């Protein structure tokens, strides 16, 4: 259930129209304002964000939590399963994902044996009768595996879990290495969503990022996927890469629009050379400036809106009939490590493979990031946990507000209080006084004061029941969410380079 009930469907549709109007204007944002809000900040695929999770949270603790979750009668949450398949043949120089670059396919053979071990260990601890409503292969490049390997590992997962009949079953693919045989195997297994990495079709940019990917190759793959029955096609693009200008990227978007993807991710290039040193191999002087990046974002957004796409939030767009648009309109959208999702709201996220993240009722945990450590833990029959976090009541409150801001773009004081009471029941925290009698304006008196300048800058408006982001505020949603982040000032030295969506931290624009 959404955390607030301020908006009706009509209201949400009106807000999409307002957003489109903003982007029809020639100068969308004054430069001074742009500079004020172009800060580094989290992308809020979790709250608290990964850099503050700690290694004191270990495998035995995770096993205990899983045991409690399994035996808790009230807990009938479905599972959302994520499997990390990290291999790629060559490195794209911009890449910030946790990948293993190798052309020696026997490495993948070994990895699959260990994934099977992890699955067996987890299967003992999970309630396997619960439905899996979302299954996702991410990477790396899942289609680095042969069709036979994909068939074998997927069958193992599907035979272990209770896959819901209408489950969303998604895979990330690199069109340069994905064959018709891969697609046929995935379609036969039941995959219904496919996400293609594109980034940019401009030859000069492709050369600079070490990723030569002709338009025709991508087009052929999209057509094959559709003819094989994939219902949803997503395309990933990045703005901020070398040699990009609004003009060059305009042409890329025109080509992308010919493919009519159902969803589009337009990622802001996370330039994090201290974690991804290979990024330094690209000429720094060729990177577009902050202002240029924003111009590219505006130009692309205009093109998407004109082509009939809806703005979902941050970096996501979708056609009106796509589930993501429907979820935005009906305020059932969620956000997790996979970005904006429609199915994860009530689900526990179970991650497998190196660096995979799980999200249990009130806890986060993340697997070890490197293959040797991951293998060693599993050889010792241990869960390969690297670090984790147990949410405090304050974290839970702030998480609810930030989720509402990032997904619904509104905060209703009464809606947050109601969501917290429901959550308290679920987490057996009914006796917690703060949650039972939650008073938003009292609890967040300082934050509400801190929002005033953002309201003056036109990012949000206050209503009698709460506040909501303006069209401009939707672009700067991270900046507004940062006001409610109690951990922002004190990140640990431990950084999180592995999840592409959450380097520490990319710029908000
Ligand atoms: C796992 S890859 C997609 C599948 C496949 N490996 C491919 O590249 O086609 C996930 C996506 O993360 C995004 N990504 C990777 N590194 C990034 C970075 N440094 N900044 C922004 N986005 C990034 C890219 O858009 C990429 O398509
Ligand atoms: S962008 Fe995709 S193909 Fe390129 S290195 Fe990263 S994960 Fe591999």
């Amino acid at each position: 259930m959404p955390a607030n009930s301020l908006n009706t469907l009509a209201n949400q549709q009106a807000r999409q129209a307002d957003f489109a109007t903003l982007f029809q204007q020639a100068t969308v944002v004054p430069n001074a304002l742009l500079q004020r809000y172009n800060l580094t900040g989290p992308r809020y695929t979790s709250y608290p964000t990964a850099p503050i999770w700690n290694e004191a949270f270990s495998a035995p603790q995770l096993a205990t939590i899983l045991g409690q979750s399994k035996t808790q009668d009230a807990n009938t949450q479905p599972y959302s399963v994520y499997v990390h398949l990290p291999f790629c043949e060559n490195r794209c120089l911009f890449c910030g994902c946790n990948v293993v670059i190798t052309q020696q396919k026997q490495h993948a053979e070994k990895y699959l044996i260990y994934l099977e071990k992890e699955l067996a260990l987890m299967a003992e601890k999970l309630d396997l009768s619960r439905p899996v409503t979302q299954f996702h292969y991410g990477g790396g490049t899942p289609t680095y595996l042969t069709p036979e390997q994909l068939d074998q590992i997927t069958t193992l997962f599907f035979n272990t879990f209770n896959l819901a009949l209408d489950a969303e079953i998604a895979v990330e693919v690199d069109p340069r290495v994905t064959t018709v045989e891969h697609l046929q195997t995935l379609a036969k297994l039941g995959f219904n969503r496919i996400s293609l990495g594109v980034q940019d079709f401009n030859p000069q940019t492709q050369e600079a990022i070490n990723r030569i990917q002709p338009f025709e190759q991508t087009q052929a793959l999209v057509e094959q996927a559709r003819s094989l029955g994939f219902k949803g096609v997503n395309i990933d693009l990045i703005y901020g890469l070398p040699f990009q200008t609004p003009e060059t990227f305009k042409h890329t978007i025109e080509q992308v629009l010919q493919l009519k993807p159902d969803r589009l991710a337009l990622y802001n290039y996370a330039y994090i050379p201290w974690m991804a040193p290979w990024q330094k191999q690209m000429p720094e002087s060729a990177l577009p400036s902050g202002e240029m990046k924003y111009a590219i974002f505006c130009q692309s957004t205009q093109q998407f809106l004109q082509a009939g796409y809806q703005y979902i939030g941050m970096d996501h767009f979708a056609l009106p009939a796509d589930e993501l648009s429907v979820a935005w309109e009906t305020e059932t959208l969620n956000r997790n490590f996979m970005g904006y999702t429609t199915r994860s709201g009530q689900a526990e996220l179970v991650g497998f493979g190196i660096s995979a993240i799980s999200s249990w009722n009130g806890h986060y945990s993340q697997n070890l990031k490197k293959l040797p450590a991951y293998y060693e833990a599993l050889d010792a029959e241990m869960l390969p946990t690297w670090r984790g976090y147990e949410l405090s009541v304050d974290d839970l409150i702030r998480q609810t507000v930030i989720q509402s801001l990032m997904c619904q773009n509104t905060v209703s004081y009464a809606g947050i209080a109601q969501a917290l009471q429901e959550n308290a029941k679920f987490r057996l925290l009914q006796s917690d006084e703060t949650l039972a009698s939650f008073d938003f304006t009292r609890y967040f008196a300082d934050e509400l004061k801190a929002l005033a300048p953002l309201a003056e800058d036109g990012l949000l408006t206050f209503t009698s029941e709460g506040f909501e982001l303006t069209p401009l505020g939707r672009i700067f949603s991270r900046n507004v969410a940062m006001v409610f982040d109690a951990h922002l000032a004190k990140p640990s030295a431990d950084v999180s380079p592995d999840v592409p969506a959450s380097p520490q931290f990319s710029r908000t624009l």
Side-chain angles (χ1 to χ4, degrees), residues 94 199-200 205 237-245 249 266-271 282 286-289 292-294 296-297:
F94 62 83
Q199 330 311 344
D200 193 334
T205 298
L237 299 167
I238 302 182
Y239 70 98
L241 294 175
F243 302 110
Q244 284 178 338
T245 66
F249 209 61
L266 176 62
Y267 294 121
N268 180 353
Y269 171 42
Y271 182 52
M282 296 186 289
L287 293 176
S289 67
M292 174 84 88
K293 276 178 77 177
Y294 189 65
I296 297 171
F297 175 78

PDB file of all heavy atoms in Angstrom, residues 94 199-200 205 237-245 249 266-271 282 286-289 292-294 296-297:
ATOM      1  N   PHE A  94      33.817   2.826 -18.871  1.00  0.00           N
ATOM      2  CA  PHE A  94      33.012   3.620 -17.933  1.00  0.00           C
ATOM      3  C   PHE A  94      32.496   2.777 -16.773  1.00  0.00           C
ATOM      4  O   PHE A  94      31.992   3.285 -15.789  1.00  0.00           O
ATOM      5  CB  PHE A  94      31.784   4.217 -18.663  1.00  0.00           C
ATOM      6  CG  PHE A  94      30.868   3.159 -19.213  1.00  0.00           C
ATOM      7  CD1 PHE A  94      29.916   2.561 -18.414  1.00  0.00           C
ATOM      8  CD2 PHE A  94      30.993   2.735 -20.533  1.00  0.00           C
ATOM      9  CE1 PHE A  94      29.099   1.560 -18.907  1.00  0.00           C
ATOM     10  CE2 PHE A  94      30.180   1.741 -21.034  1.00  0.00           C
ATOM     11  CZ  PHE A  94      29.233   1.148 -20.221  1.00  0.00           C
ATOM     12  N   GLN A 199      24.006   2.435 -23.932  1.00  0.00           N
ATOM     13  CA  GLN A 199      24.814   3.592 -23.462  1.00  0.00           C
ATOM     14  C   GLN A 199      24.805   4.736 -24.463  1.00  0.00           C
ATOM     15  O   GLN A 199      24.337   5.810 -24.172  1.00  0.00           O
ATOM     16  CB  GLN A 199      26.262   3.217 -23.096  1.00  0.00           C
ATOM     17  CG  GLN A 199      26.512   1.796 -22.564  1.00  0.00           C
ATOM     18  CD  GLN A 199      25.600   1.317 -21.458  1.00  0.00           C
ATOM     19  OE1 GLN A 199      24.920   2.106 -20.841  1.00  0.00           O
ATOM     20  NE2 GLN A 199      25.563   0.020 -21.197  1.00  0.00           N
ATOM     21  N   ASP A 200      25.304   4.518 -25.688  1.00  0.00           N
ATOM     22  CA  ASP A 200      25.333   5.579 -26.693  1.00  0.00           C
ATOM     23  C   ASP A 200      25.654   4.941 -28.040  1.00  0.00           C
ATOM     24  O   ASP A 200      26.474   4.022 -28.102  1.00  0.00           O
ATOM     25  CB  ASP A 200      26.427   6.608 -26.318  1.00  0.00           C
ATOM     26  CG  ASP A 200      26.310   7.896 -27.133  1.00  0.00           C
ATOM     27  OD1 ASP A 200      25.783   7.846 -28.252  1.00  0.00           O
ATOM     28  OD2 ASP A 200      26.748   8.943 -26.626  1.00  0.00           O
ATOM     29  N   THR A 205      32.052   8.226 -29.227  1.00  0.00           N
ATOM     30  CA  THR A 205      31.878   7.877 -27.812  1.00  0.00           C
ATOM     31  C   THR A 205      32.114   6.377 -27.623  1.00  0.00           C
ATOM     32  O   THR A 205      32.797   5.956 -26.682  1.00  0.00           O
ATOM     33  CB  THR A 205      30.464   8.287 -27.327  1.00  0.00           C
ATOM     34  OG1 THR A 205      30.337   9.692 -27.456  1.00  0.00           O
ATOM     35  CG2 THR A 205      30.225   7.877 -25.896  1.00  0.00           C
ATOM     36  N   LEU A 237      20.853   3.695 -21.122  1.00  0.00           N
ATOM     37  CA  LEU A 237      21.691   4.719 -21.754  1.00  0.00           C
ATOM     38  C   LEU A 237      22.462   5.433 -20.644  1.00  0.00           C
ATOM     39  O   LEU A 237      22.031   5.421 -19.488  1.00  0.00           O
ATOM     40  CB  LEU A 237      20.810   5.746 -22.474  1.00  0.00           C
ATOM     41  CG  LEU A 237      19.933   5.203 -23.592  1.00  0.00           C
ATOM     42  CD1 LEU A 237      18.897   6.241 -23.991  1.00  0.00           C
ATOM     43  CD2 LEU A 237      20.787   4.808 -24.788  1.00  0.00           C
ATOM     44  N   ILE A 238      23.573   6.060 -21.002  1.00  0.00           N
ATOM     45  CA  ILE A 238      24.299   6.866 -20.006  1.00  0.00           C
ATOM     46  C   ILE A 238      24.575   8.242 -20.592  1.00  0.00           C
ATOM     47  O   ILE A 238      25.026   8.344 -21.748  1.00  0.00           O
ATOM     48  CB  ILE A 238      25.644   6.219 -19.621  1.00  0.00           C
ATOM     49  CG1 ILE A 238      25.430   4.798 -19.067  1.00  0.00           C
ATOM     50  CG2 ILE A 238      26.369   7.065 -18.582  1.00  0.00           C
ATOM     51  CD1 ILE A 238      26.720   4.116 -18.617  1.00  0.00           C
ATOM     52  N   TYR A 239      24.311   9.282 -19.819  1.00  0.00           N
ATOM     53  CA  TYR A 239      24.739  10.621 -20.237  1.00  0.00           C
ATOM     54  C   TYR A 239      25.891  11.079 -19.347  1.00  0.00           C
ATOM     55  O   TYR A 239      25.940  10.747 -18.165  1.00  0.00           O
ATOM     56  CB  TYR A 239      23.573  11.624 -20.248  1.00  0.00           C
ATOM     57  CG  TYR A 239      23.038  12.018 -18.892  1.00  0.00           C
ATOM     58  CD1 TYR A 239      23.435  13.207 -18.277  1.00  0.00           C
ATOM     59  CD2 TYR A 239      22.133  11.219 -18.221  1.00  0.00           C
ATOM     60  CE1 TYR A 239      22.941  13.587 -17.035  1.00  0.00           C
ATOM     61  CE2 TYR A 239      21.639  11.573 -16.967  1.00  0.00           C
ATOM     62  CZ  TYR A 239      22.050  12.755 -16.388  1.00  0.00           C
ATOM     63  OH  TYR A 239      21.569  13.105 -15.159  1.00  0.00           O
ATOM     64  N   GLY A 240      26.837  11.784 -20.003  1.00  0.00           N
ATOM     65  CA  GLY A 240      28.029  12.230 -19.274  1.00  0.00           C
ATOM     66  C   GLY A 240      29.282  11.515 -19.756  1.00  0.00           C
ATOM     67  O   GLY A 240      30.350  11.687 -19.184  1.00  0.00           O
ATOM     68  N   LEU A 241      29.144  10.706 -20.818  1.00  0.00           N
ATOM     69  CA  LEU A 241      30.297   9.959 -21.345  1.00  0.00           C
ATOM     70  C   LEU A 241      31.129  10.859 -22.278  1.00  0.00           C
ATOM     71  O   LEU A 241      30.648  11.898 -22.747  1.00  0.00           O
ATOM     72  CB  LEU A 241      29.799   8.724 -22.110  1.00  0.00           C
ATOM     73  CG  LEU A 241      29.106   7.652 -21.252  1.00  0.00           C
ATOM     74  CD1 LEU A 241      28.547   6.532 -22.134  1.00  0.00           C
ATOM     75  CD2 LEU A 241      30.070   7.069 -20.211  1.00  0.00           C
ATOM     76  N   PRO A 242      32.375  10.441 -22.577  1.00  0.00           N
ATOM     77  CA  PRO A 242      33.247  11.280 -23.403  1.00  0.00           C
ATOM     78  C   PRO A 242      32.617  11.635 -24.748  1.00  0.00           C
ATOM     79  O   PRO A 242      31.929  10.800 -25.368  1.00  0.00           O
ATOM     80  CB  PRO A 242      34.483  10.395 -23.618  1.00  0.00           C
ATOM     81  CG  PRO A 242      34.468   9.431 -22.493  1.00  0.00           C
ATOM     82  CD  PRO A 242      33.046   9.228 -22.115  1.00  0.00           C
ATOM     83  N   PHE A 243      32.862  12.834 -25.152  1.00  0.00           N
ATOM     84  CA  PHE A 243      32.490  13.386 -26.464  1.00  0.00           C
ATOM     85  C   PHE A 243      30.980  13.562 -26.660  1.00  0.00           C
ATOM     86  O   PHE A 243      30.541  13.875 -27.760  1.00  0.00           O
ATOM     87  CB  PHE A 243      33.073  12.543 -27.616  1.00  0.00           C
ATOM     88  CG  PHE A 243      34.572  12.435 -27.570  1.00  0.00           C
ATOM     89  CD1 PHE A 243      35.198  11.229 -27.255  1.00  0.00           C
ATOM     90  CD2 PHE A 243      35.370  13.549 -27.804  1.00  0.00           C
ATOM     91  CE1 PHE A 243      36.583  11.138 -27.184  1.00  0.00           C
ATOM     92  CE2 PHE A 243      36.759  13.462 -27.741  1.00  0.00           C
ATOM     93  CZ  PHE A 243      37.365  12.249 -27.427  1.00  0.00           C
ATOM     94  N   GLN A 244      30.202  13.343 -25.630  1.00  0.00           N
ATOM     95  CA  GLN A 244      28.754  13.547 -25.798  1.00  0.00           C
ATOM     96  C   GLN A 244      28.438  15.042 -25.785  1.00  0.00           C
ATOM     97  O   GLN A 244      28.985  15.799 -24.974  1.00  0.00           O
ATOM     98  CB  GLN A 244      27.972  12.879 -24.661  1.00  0.00           C
ATOM     99  CG  GLN A 244      27.861  11.378 -24.793  1.00  0.00           C
ATOM    100  CD  GLN A 244      27.108  10.764 -23.614  1.00  0.00           C
ATOM    101  OE1 GLN A 244      27.017  11.357 -22.540  1.00  0.00           O
ATOM    102  NE2 GLN A 244      26.585   9.570 -23.820  1.00  0.00           N
ATOM    103  N   THR A 245      27.525  15.432 -26.665  1.00  0.00           N
ATOM    104  CA  THR A 245      26.949  16.783 -26.637  1.00  0.00           C
ATOM    105  C   THR A 245      25.441  16.592 -26.810  1.00  0.00           C
ATOM    106  O   THR A 245      25.001  15.497 -27.205  1.00  0.00           O
ATOM    107  CB  THR A 245      27.454  17.642 -27.815  1.00  0.00           C
ATOM    108  OG1 THR A 245      26.949  17.067 -29.030  1.00  0.00           O
ATOM    109  CG2 THR A 245      28.976  17.735 -27.862  1.00  0.00           C
ATOM    110  N   PHE A 249      23.942  13.240 -28.730  1.00  0.00           N
ATOM    111  CA  PHE A 249      23.056  12.336 -27.983  1.00  0.00           C
ATOM    112  C   PHE A 249      21.630  12.384 -28.526  1.00  0.00           C
ATOM    113  O   PHE A 249      20.897  11.398 -28.437  1.00  0.00           O
ATOM    114  CB  PHE A 249      23.106  12.681 -26.488  1.00  0.00           C
ATOM    115  CG  PHE A 249      22.831  11.487 -25.603  1.00  0.00           C
ATOM    116  CD1 PHE A 249      23.654  10.371 -25.649  1.00  0.00           C
ATOM    117  CD2 PHE A 249      21.752  11.469 -24.734  1.00  0.00           C
ATOM    118  CE1 PHE A 249      23.410   9.256 -24.845  1.00  0.00           C
ATOM    119  CE2 PHE A 249      21.500  10.363 -23.922  1.00  0.00           C
ATOM    120  CZ  PHE A 249      22.331   9.259 -23.978  1.00  0.00           C
ATOM    121  N   LEU A 266      18.067   6.224 -18.169  1.00  0.00           N
ATOM    122  CA  LEU A 266      19.025   7.226 -18.654  1.00  0.00           C
ATOM    123  C   LEU A 266      19.933   7.565 -17.476  1.00  0.00           C
ATOM    124  O   LEU A 266      19.671   8.492 -16.711  1.00  0.00           O
ATOM    125  CB  LEU A 266      18.251   8.470 -19.131  1.00  0.00           C
ATOM    126  CG  LEU A 266      19.074   9.669 -19.577  1.00  0.00           C
ATOM    127  CD1 LEU A 266      19.954   9.339 -20.769  1.00  0.00           C
ATOM    128  CD2 LEU A 266      18.160  10.849 -19.930  1.00  0.00           C
ATOM    129  N   TYR A 267      20.988   6.735 -17.307  1.00  0.00           N
ATOM    130  CA  TYR A 267      21.837   6.896 -16.131  1.00  0.00           C
ATOM    131  C   TYR A 267      22.784   8.075 -16.276  1.00  0.00           C
ATOM    132  O   TYR A 267      23.331   8.320 -17.350  1.00  0.00           O
ATOM    133  CB  TYR A 267      22.670   5.626 -15.886  1.00  0.00           C
ATOM    134  CG  TYR A 267      21.864   4.420 -15.504  1.00  0.00           C
ATOM    135  CD1 TYR A 267      21.895   3.256 -16.273  1.00  0.00           C
ATOM    136  CD2 TYR A 267      21.051   4.431 -14.374  1.00  0.00           C
ATOM    137  CE1 TYR A 267      21.149   2.139 -15.924  1.00  0.00           C
ATOM    138  CE2 TYR A 267      20.300   3.329 -14.016  1.00  0.00           C
ATOM    139  CZ  TYR A 267      20.361   2.188 -14.797  1.00  0.00           C
ATOM    140  OH  TYR A 267      19.618   1.090 -14.451  1.00  0.00           O
ATOM    141  N   ASN A 268      22.954   8.735 -15.161  1.00  0.00           N
ATOM    142  CA  ASN A 268      23.970   9.767 -15.036  1.00  0.00           C
ATOM    143  C   ASN A 268      25.309   9.040 -14.886  1.00  0.00           C
ATOM    144  O   ASN A 268      25.449   8.195 -14.000  1.00  0.00           O
ATOM    145  CB  ASN A 268      23.612  10.566 -13.773  1.00  0.00           C
ATOM    146  CG  ASN A 268      24.560  11.690 -13.490  1.00  0.00           C
ATOM    147  OD1 ASN A 268      25.573  11.835 -14.144  1.00  0.00           O
ATOM    148  ND2 ASN A 268      24.208  12.485 -12.492  1.00  0.00           N
ATOM    149  N   TYR A 269      26.290   9.342 -15.733  1.00  0.00           N
ATOM    150  CA  TYR A 269      27.577   8.640 -15.647  1.00  0.00           C
ATOM    151  C   TYR A 269      28.193   8.836 -14.267  1.00  0.00           C
ATOM    152  O   TYR A 269      28.441   9.964 -13.839  1.00  0.00           O
ATOM    153  CB  TYR A 269      28.524   9.161 -16.733  1.00  0.00           C
ATOM    154  CG  TYR A 269      29.944   8.661 -16.615  1.00  0.00           C
ATOM    155  CD1 TYR A 269      30.202   7.323 -16.290  1.00  0.00           C
ATOM    156  CD2 TYR A 269      31.017   9.498 -16.833  1.00  0.00           C
ATOM    157  CE1 TYR A 269      31.496   6.849 -16.175  1.00  0.00           C
ATOM    158  CE2 TYR A 269      32.318   9.037 -16.739  1.00  0.00           C
ATOM    159  CZ  TYR A 269      32.552   7.721 -16.401  1.00  0.00           C
ATOM    160  OH  TYR A 269      33.834   7.257 -16.291  1.00  0.00           O
ATOM    161  N   ALA A 270      28.395   7.731 -13.564  1.00  0.00           N
ATOM    162  CA  ALA A 270      29.051   7.788 -12.257  1.00  0.00           C
ATOM    163  C   ALA A 270      30.550   7.719 -12.499  1.00  0.00           C
ATOM    164  O   ALA A 270      31.080   6.650 -12.820  1.00  0.00           O
ATOM    165  CB  ALA A 270      28.575   6.634 -11.387  1.00  0.00           C
ATOM    166  N   TYR A 271      31.197   8.850 -12.373  1.00  0.00           N
ATOM    167  CA  TYR A 271      32.652   8.935 -12.589  1.00  0.00           C
ATOM    168  C   TYR A 271      33.317   8.749 -11.239  1.00  0.00           C
ATOM    169  O   TYR A 271      33.297   9.650 -10.390  1.00  0.00           O
ATOM    170  CB  TYR A 271      32.977  10.297 -13.215  1.00  0.00           C
ATOM    171  CG  TYR A 271      34.434  10.487 -13.543  1.00  0.00           C
ATOM    172  CD1 TYR A 271      35.124   9.546 -14.301  1.00  0.00           C
ATOM    173  CD2 TYR A 271      35.125  11.610 -13.106  1.00  0.00           C
ATOM    174  CE1 TYR A 271      36.468   9.719 -14.609  1.00  0.00           C
ATOM    175  CE2 TYR A 271      36.470  11.798 -13.420  1.00  0.00           C
ATOM    176  CZ  TYR A 271      37.129  10.840 -14.166  1.00  0.00           C
ATOM    177  OH  TYR A 271      38.453  11.013 -14.474  1.00  0.00           O
ATOM    178  N   MET A 282      39.953   6.876 -20.128  1.00  0.00           N
ATOM    179  CA  MET A 282      39.191   7.728 -21.053  1.00  0.00           C
ATOM    180  C   MET A 282      39.685   9.160 -20.877  1.00  0.00           C
ATOM    181  O   MET A 282      39.980   9.571 -19.748  1.00  0.00           O
ATOM    182  CB  MET A 282      37.693   7.652 -20.742  1.00  0.00           C
ATOM    183  CG  MET A 282      37.122   6.268 -20.968  1.00  0.00           C
ATOM    184  SD  MET A 282      35.343   6.233 -20.780  1.00  0.00           S
ATOM    185  CE  MET A 282      35.138   6.444 -19.042  1.00  0.00           C
ATOM    186  N   ALA A 286      37.586  15.049 -22.425  1.00  0.00           N
ATOM    187  CA  ALA A 286      36.456  14.810 -23.335  1.00  0.00           C
ATOM    188  C   ALA A 286      35.137  14.632 -22.580  1.00  0.00           C
ATOM    189  O   ALA A 286      34.073  14.495 -23.196  1.00  0.00           O
ATOM    190  CB  ALA A 286      36.734  13.568 -24.179  1.00  0.00           C
ATOM    191  N   LEU A 287      35.206  14.625 -21.230  1.00  0.00           N
ATOM    192  CA  LEU A 287      33.965  14.454 -20.452  1.00  0.00           C
ATOM    193  C   LEU A 287      33.165  15.760 -20.480  1.00  0.00           C
ATOM    194  O   LEU A 287      33.730  16.833 -20.283  1.00  0.00           O
ATOM    195  CB  LEU A 287      34.290  14.093 -19.000  1.00  0.00           C
ATOM    196  CG  LEU A 287      34.949  12.730 -18.760  1.00  0.00           C
ATOM    197  CD1 LEU A 287      35.297  12.552 -17.287  1.00  0.00           C
ATOM    198  CD2 LEU A 287      34.031  11.595 -19.213  1.00  0.00           C
ATOM    199  N   PRO A 288      31.868  15.692 -20.732  1.00  0.00           N
ATOM    200  CA  PRO A 288      31.070  16.924 -20.751  1.00  0.00           C
ATOM    201  C   PRO A 288      31.013  17.571 -19.364  1.00  0.00           C
ATOM    202  O   PRO A 288      31.015  16.871 -18.355  1.00  0.00           O
ATOM    203  CB  PRO A 288      29.685  16.453 -21.200  1.00  0.00           C
ATOM    204  CG  PRO A 288      29.680  14.975 -21.066  1.00  0.00           C
ATOM    205  CD  PRO A 288      31.088  14.497 -21.047  1.00  0.00           C
ATOM    206  N   SER A 289      30.945  18.897 -19.334  1.00  0.00           N
ATOM    207  CA  SER A 289      30.853  19.616 -18.055  1.00  0.00           C
ATOM    208  C   SER A 289      29.489  19.345 -17.417  1.00  0.00           C
ATOM    209  O   SER A 289      28.582  18.822 -18.072  1.00  0.00           O
ATOM    210  CB  SER A 289      30.978  21.116 -18.325  1.00  0.00           C
ATOM    211  OG  SER A 289      29.821  21.534 -19.057  1.00  0.00           O
ATOM    212  N   MET A 292      26.806  20.973 -19.393  1.00  0.00           N
ATOM    213  CA  MET A 292      26.574  20.241 -20.649  1.00  0.00           C
ATOM    214  C   MET A 292      25.778  18.959 -20.357  1.00  0.00           C
ATOM    215  O   MET A 292      24.864  18.591 -21.096  1.00  0.00           O
ATOM    216  CB  MET A 292      27.923  19.895 -21.292  1.00  0.00           C
ATOM    217  CG  MET A 292      27.824  19.029 -22.511  1.00  0.00           C
ATOM    218  SD  MET A 292      27.504  19.986 -23.979  1.00  0.00           S
ATOM    219  CE  MET A 292      29.169  20.392 -24.473  1.00  0.00           C
ATOM    220  N   LYS A 293      26.138  18.289 -19.253  1.00  0.00           N
ATOM    221  CA  LYS A 293      25.417  17.061 -18.889  1.00  0.00           C
ATOM    222  C   LYS A 293      23.934  17.366 -18.669  1.00  0.00           C
ATOM    223  O   LYS A 293      23.060  16.625 -19.101  1.00  0.00           O
ATOM    224  CB  LYS A 293      26.004  16.462 -17.596  1.00  0.00           C
ATOM    225  CG  LYS A 293      27.214  15.608 -17.817  1.00  0.00           C
ATOM    226  CD  LYS A 293      27.775  15.097 -16.507  1.00  0.00           C
ATOM    227  CE  LYS A 293      26.979  13.941 -15.939  1.00  0.00           C
ATOM    228  NZ  LYS A 293      27.570  13.403 -14.699  1.00  0.00           N
ATOM    229  N   TYR A 294      23.700  18.473 -17.985  1.00  0.00           N
ATOM    230  CA  TYR A 294      22.305  18.807 -17.714  1.00  0.00           C
ATOM    231  C   TYR A 294      21.565  19.122 -19.017  1.00  0.00           C
ATOM    232  O   TYR A 294      20.391  18.744 -19.189  1.00  0.00           O
ATOM    233  CB  TYR A 294      22.216  19.973 -16.724  1.00  0.00           C
ATOM    234  CG  TYR A 294      20.793  20.169 -16.282  1.00  0.00           C
ATOM    235  CD1 TYR A 294      20.158  19.186 -15.539  1.00  0.00           C
ATOM    236  CD2 TYR A 294      20.076  21.302 -16.649  1.00  0.00           C
ATOM    237  CE1 TYR A 294      18.829  19.329 -15.158  1.00  0.00           C
ATOM    238  CE2 TYR A 294      18.755  21.451 -16.268  1.00  0.00           C
ATOM    239  CZ  TYR A 294      18.141  20.464 -15.521  1.00  0.00           C
ATOM    240  OH  TYR A 294      16.831  20.587 -15.162  1.00  0.00           O
ATOM    241  N   ILE A 296      22.198  17.796 -21.858  1.00  0.00           N
ATOM    242  CA  ILE A 296      21.936  16.499 -22.514  1.00  0.00           C
ATOM    243  C   ILE A 296      20.721  15.830 -21.865  1.00  0.00           C
ATOM    244  O   ILE A 296      19.844  15.289 -22.546  1.00  0.00           O
ATOM    245  CB  ILE A 296      23.183  15.570 -22.417  1.00  0.00           C
ATOM    246  CG1 ILE A 296      24.365  16.192 -23.158  1.00  0.00           C
ATOM    247  CG2 ILE A 296      22.863  14.185 -22.960  1.00  0.00           C
ATOM    248  CD1 ILE A 296      25.695  15.475 -22.945  1.00  0.00           C
ATOM    249  N   PHE A 297      20.668  15.894 -20.540  1.00  0.00           N
ATOM    250  CA  PHE A 297      19.534  15.294 -19.823  1.00  0.00           C
ATOM    251  C   PHE A 297      18.220  15.951 -20.261  1.00  0.00           C
ATOM    252  O   PHE A 297      17.228  15.277 -20.538  1.00  0.00           O
ATOM    253  CB  PHE A 297      19.747  15.445 -18.308  1.00  0.00           C
ATOM    254  CG  PHE A 297      18.582  14.959 -17.482  1.00  0.00           C
ATOM    255  CD1 PHE A 297      18.391  13.605 -17.263  1.00  0.00           C
ATOM    256  CD2 PHE A 297      17.662  15.854 -16.937  1.00  0.00           C
ATOM    257  CE1 PHE A 297      17.313  13.147 -16.519  1.00  0.00           C
ATOM    258  CE2 PHE A 297      16.582  15.400 -16.189  1.00  0.00           C
ATOM    259  CZ  PHE A 297      16.408  14.044 -15.977  1.00  0.00           C
TER     260      PHE A 297
END
